[in-house]
Amino acid sequence: MEMSGEAAGQYSSDDDDEEWSRKPKPKKVLKREQITATFTEEQEQELVLWLQHPERECVYNKKHRHYIKKGMQNKMWEEKAREMGKTTVQLKKWYVNMRSRFCKMRETSAENANLTDRDRWILEHFEFLRPYLMINRNKRTPVSHHT
């Protein structure tokens, strides 16, 4: 009786390929869903005025007594989104983007005289956030390892 290569303790390169294919494949990295929305100048101005209202201070003032009440904030965002024909995710994303841009430009505006009209608009209209923003001066710096 003749034994096959495998039975005789031998294996072929095909066996290596098979073994490699059994190894776990790397997990796919899930990308965040892109949230897009187009706002007219009037809608953006309306949102800025809406945010500036004292009733909405709990959205951006961490010391406000209602800041931690996310349900209350969500209800405000939902009402405004419904009124504007947008989703709450779109409105919140717009706000977070504008706030982030304001913070970054505020830190570098003295150094950068090449501001666009859009940058100037953001700096002017989001100035009301200045007292409520904290500047993180301890930015991470790469650690170098010397051997």
Side-chain angles (χ1 to χ4, degrees):
M1 186 168 168
E2 193 174 300
M3 295 177 77
S4 70
E6 283 183 69
Q10 301 172 349
Y11 64 93
S12 69
S13 64
D14 290 342
D15 293 327
D16 284 339
D17 293 340
E18 191 176 303
E19 190 172 315
W20 281 103
S21 67
R22 284 189 232 143
K23 290 188 178 185
K25 294 180 180 176
K27 292 183 180 180
K28 290 184 179 178
V29 177
L30 298 176
K31 293 183 179 180
R32 290 186 195 187
E33 180 184 344
Q34 292 290 342
I35 300 164
T36 58
T38 305
F39 294 86
T40 64
E41 289 178 28
E42 292 80 18
Q43 287 175 319
E44 288 188 323
Q45 185 65 38
E46 179 183 343
L47 278 170
V48 169
L49 292 173
W50 179 79
L51 284 164
Q52 288 176 340
H53 193 278
E55 194 175 285
R56 253 75 71 197
E57 189 177 323
C58 64
V59 171
Y60 49 84
N61 181 357
K62 290 182 178 184
K63 293 180 181 177
H64 193 280
R65 62 189 172 109
H66 296 305
Y67 180 80
I68 61 171
K69 295 182 180 181
K70 298 301 178 190
M72 176 187 260
Q73 290 181 29
N74 287 336
K75 186 176 179 183
M76 287 190 284
W77 284 113
E78 287 168 8
E79 289 173 6
K80 189 61 178 173
R82 198 174 319 110
E83 177 187 313
M84 295 182 75
K86 304 281 185 188
T87 67
T88 56
V89 174
Q90 290 171 324
L91 264 60
K92 287 179 177 182
K93 183 72 172 178
W94 176 87
Y95 167 68
V96 169
N97 286 342
M98 293 296 109
R99 184 188 65 203
S100 296
R101 284 184 67 184
F102 173 76
C103 290
K104 288 175 186 173
M105 286 187 297
R106 186 184 72 155
E107 292 173 9
T108 62
S109 64
E111 304 163 11
N112 185 2
N114 299 326
L115 294 175
T116 65
D117 289 341
R118 176 74 172 162
D119 293 341
R120 281 192 272 291
W121 185 88
I122 292 169
L123 283 171
E124 179 184 331
H125 287 82
F126 285 86
E127 183 64 31
F128 72 95
L129 292 177
R130 185 179 296 272
Y132 308 104
L133 300 174
M134 297 178 70
I135 299 173
N136 184 3
R137 297 194 192 280
N138 297 328
K139 294 188 179 189
R140 290 184 180 181
T141 56
V143 177
S144 60
H145 297 281
H146 298 285
T147 54

